């Protein structure tokens, strides 16, 4: 792609570009940040998020120059397509962006635009911080014990889309190969069969685990846990664990220590500020999150484990309504909330913008604006604890005052200023 791509239907605002050199983002004080409002409630929550992030940038002597991009329904109106090339080019060029939810029709229609964006931009890590905000109702006795971040591999595993439908010529061919050439016929019952393939590569695993360890080092976290089912799936999930440990052992020197080394060679003596890398089997991990919540910090895992575990952890701190997320690649960030476009609430100025605001927090942390990120997180938390909240939280607490999306955003912004 050229240094300065040209954009036909979107305006590039004044401001400077975030660049990436030697593995680091170089962030000016007046960055251009692309934003996709998204479908459904995206149009309600995106302006609310902008208002609050603008306030935090201003309070820390900076300025965000938003570049509005289009995908989904708004793109169909402007471009007559769902995911215009300009949108992808702009995120690629400006590197750090944030988006609201995009609707994916069930069954027929187009495939997920979210998946397409992640693929086109090679955003290989799906990252979800899971921490409790005071005032959010939770099914746990001590929800504040959870303060974790999950790194889910985003491009491979059984999600790679390599699968064949029962009754198709392709599945017959794959079955023939497995039975006749690989001699595994005993493991496949007779009759119709669907077959899928689970690729886990050294390349895909190592770059994901690197992201998780780098995050732990940069954010003073104590442990990185590799979550796998390697006891059963030895050559895929087991390989994930082994390659993960290889990264820890070979690439970080004394900054990173594996749990085995810590006990076998160092008698439990941990160098100051070092990160410990350990591993847990996925089913055990799910119960440990309930029983030993406070022992976990940064988790790294293959795609399917990450899908289940991050939603389950989200439930522990009060549901997905406020859950933030981001997709990370090398020198690239696309922040987005976990929730979808909830079309029935579109345009009603009703839903909770906290998930997108907290996705903004994650984005600000990724560009090194930790002070601005903390202002937003603290203000959202203070607002929620005050009981002046949107309908979703209001219906689950005693008393409190129900606010519209825009009123909630105004009050959060006021707390920052
Ligand atoms: P959803 O949009 O997340 O909505 C499900 C329910 O969650 C809503 O009815 C509402 O519950 C609650 N909710 C979601 N966001 C909320 C918010 N900001 N504030 C308050 N409550 C909120 O899930 P869905 O209905 O399954 O999916 C709708 C569309 O979104 C689908 O096309 C799906 O493919 C898409 N989607 C996109 C993304 C993405 O862009 N990353 C992610 C997930 C889904 P109550 O009605 O009980 O209040």
């Amino acid at each position: 792609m050229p240094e300065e791509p040209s954009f036909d239907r979107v305006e590039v605002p004044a401001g400077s570009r975030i660049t990436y050199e030697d593995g680091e983002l170089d962030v000016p004080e007046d960055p251009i940040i692309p934003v996709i409002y998204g479908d459904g409630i995206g149009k309600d929550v995106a302006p609310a998020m902008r208002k609050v992030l603008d306030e935090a940038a201003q309070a820390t002597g900076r300025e965000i120059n938003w570049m509005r991009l289009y995908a989904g329904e708004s793109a169909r109106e402007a471009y007559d397509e769902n995911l215009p090339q300009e949108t992808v080019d702009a995120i690629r060029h400006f590197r750090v962006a944030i988006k609201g939810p995009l609707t994916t029709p069930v069954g027929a229609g187009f495939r997920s635009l979210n998946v397409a964006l992640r693929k086109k931009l090679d955003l290989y890590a799906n990252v979800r911080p899971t921490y409790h905000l005071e005032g959010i109702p939770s099914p746990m006795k001590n929800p504040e014990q959870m303060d974790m971040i999950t790194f889910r591999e985003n491009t491979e595993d059984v999600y790679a889309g390599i699968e064949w439908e029962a009754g198709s010529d392709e599945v017959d061919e794959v079955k023939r190969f497995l039975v006749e050439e690989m001699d595994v016929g005993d493991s496949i019952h007779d009759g119709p069969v669907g077959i899928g393939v689970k690729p886990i590569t050294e390349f895909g695993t190592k770059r994901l685990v690197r992201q998780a360890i780098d995050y732990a080092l940069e954010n003073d976290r104590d442990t990185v846990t590799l979550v796998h089912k390697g006891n059963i799936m030895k050559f895929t999930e087991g390989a994930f664990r082994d390659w993960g440990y290889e990264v820890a052992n070979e690439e970080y020197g004394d900054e990173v220590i594996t749990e085995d080394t810590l006990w076998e060679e160092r008698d439990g003596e941990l160098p100051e500020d070092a990160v410990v890398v350990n591993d847990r089997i996925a089913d055990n991990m799910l119960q440990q999150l309930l029983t030993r919540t406070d022992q976990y910090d940064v988790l790294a895992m293959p795609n399917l484990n990450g899908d289940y575990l991050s939603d389950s952890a989200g439930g522990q701190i009060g549901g997905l309504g406020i859950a933030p997320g981001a997709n990370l690649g090398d020198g690239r960030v696309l922040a987005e909330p976990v929730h979808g476009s909830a079309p029935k609430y579109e345009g009603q100025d009703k839903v909770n913008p906290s998930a997108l605001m907290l996705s903004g927090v994650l984005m600000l942390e990724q560009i090194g604006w930790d002070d601005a990120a903390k202002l937003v997180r603290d203000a959202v938390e203070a607002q929620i604890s005050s009981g002046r909240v949107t309908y979703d939280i209001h219906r689950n607490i005693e008393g409190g005052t129900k606010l519209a999306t825009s009123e909630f955003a105004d009050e959060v912004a006021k707390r920052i200023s």
Side-chain angles (χ1 to χ4, degrees), residues 41 45 99-105 114 118 321 336-345 351-352 391-392 395:
I41 55 168
V45 293
K99 66 177 273 294
L102 294 168
T103 299
T104 308
N114 299 302
R118 290 172 201 162
E336 63 174 349
V338 171
H339 67 69
S341 57
K344 65 181 173 182
Y345 297 126
V351 295
N352 190 347
Y391 84 96
D392 53 316
R395 71 185 166 192

Side-chain angles (χ1 to χ4, degrees), residues 73-366:
E73 197 185 300
S74 59
R76 285 198 291 283
E77 285 159 17
Y79 296 82
D80 205 22
E81 56 180 321
N82 288 311
L83 186 55
Q85 190 56 42
E86 289 203 318
T87 296
V88 178
D89 287 348
I91 300 175
R92 191 172 284 138
H93 187 66
F94 292 105
R95 295 198 165 272
V96 174
I98 185 162
K99 66 177 273 294
L102 294 168
T103 299
T104 308
V106 177
F110 50 85
R111 69 192 184 114
S112 165
L113 296 177
N114 299 302
V115 174
L117 264 172
R118 290 172 201 162
K119 262 203 166 140
K120 281 176 192 276
L121 295 163
D122 199 20
L123 300 167
Y124 56 83
N126 181 260
V127 177
R128 286 196 199 173
T130 319
Y131 49 77
H132 185 248
L133 293 179
E134 201 189 319
I136 298 275
S138 148
M140 304 298 288
K141 273 199 191 128
N142 299 304
E144 72 289 346
Q145 286 185 351
M146 181 168 275
D147 183 3
M148 234 175 48
I149 181 160
T150 54
F151 283 73
R152 166 186 171 193
E153 205 289 326
N154 231 352
T155 64
E156 48 185 25
D157 199 350
V158 284
Y159 287 66
I162 313 173
E163 57 175 10
W164 299 277
E165 193 176 2
S168 63
D169 291 345
E170 288 87 354
V171 89
D172 288 345
E173 179 58 24
V174 175
K175 184 176 172 187
R176 188 204 56 75
F177 170 75
L178 291 173
V179 173
E180 291 175 18
E181 296 185 38
M182 304 306 285
D183 198 21
V184 294
D186 285 353
S187 305
I188 305 177
H189 297 300
D190 288 339
V193 57
I195 297 180
V197 172
K198 177 183 173 78
I200 301 263
T201 63
E202 178 179 357
F203 172 77
T205 300
K206 286 192 166 176
R207 65 180 183 169
L208 185 269
V209 174
R210 255 178 233 124
Q211 285 256 15
I213 294 178
D214 288 345
Y215 180 92
L217 288 168
E218 280 158 26
N219 293 277
D220 289 330
R221 298 287 193 150
D222 297 330
T223 58
V224 173
T225 303
L226 308 169
V227 184
H228 61 89
K229 194 73 189 146
N231 53 331
I232 305 296
M233 291 170 269
K234 296 185 190 306
F235 305 131
T236 49
E237 302 254 335
F240 179 90
R241 179 203 53 204
D242 295 346
W243 286 321
Y245 276 133
E246 255 177 52
V247 170
N249 281 324
E250 292 171 9
E251 299 182 19
Y252 288 90
D254 260 6
E255 281 185 305
V256 173
I257 302 219
T258 61
E259 198 169 38
D260 285 352
T261 317
L262 179 64
W263 291 104
E264 283 164 18
E265 293 171 24
R266 292 174 185 257
D267 235 5
E269 203 66 44
L270 187 64
E272 211 178 327
D273 296 333
V275 166
V276 175
V277 175
N278 55 24
D279 75 282
R280 297 288 180 270
I281 290 180
D283 41 346
N284 178 30
M285 186 72 222
L286 277 163
Q287 66 100 8
Q288 294 225 355
L289 281 186
L290 295 168
T291 54
R292 299 181 177 206
T293 315
D294 56 354
Q295 290 184 6
Y296 294 96
D297 224 355
V298 179
L299 307 186
M301 61 206 111
N303 214 332
L304 181 62
N305 297 339
D307 198 358
Y308 295 156
L309 194 141
S310 55
D311 267 28
S312 168
Q316 279 182 240
I317 47 103
L320 301 183
I322 48 135
N327 298 289
L328 307 183
D330 291 328
R332 226 160 247 130
V333 179
L334 180 60
E336 63 174 349
V338 171
H339 67 69
S341 57
K344 65 181 173 182
Y345 297 126
E346 175 174 352
Q348 293 180 24
D349 196 18
K350 174 175 173 144
V351 295
N352 190 347
S354 301
L356 190 59
M357 289 175 183
L358 297 172
S359 303
V361 168
L362 190 51
M363 180 182 82
L364 295 178
E365 284 170 355
Q366 288 292 322

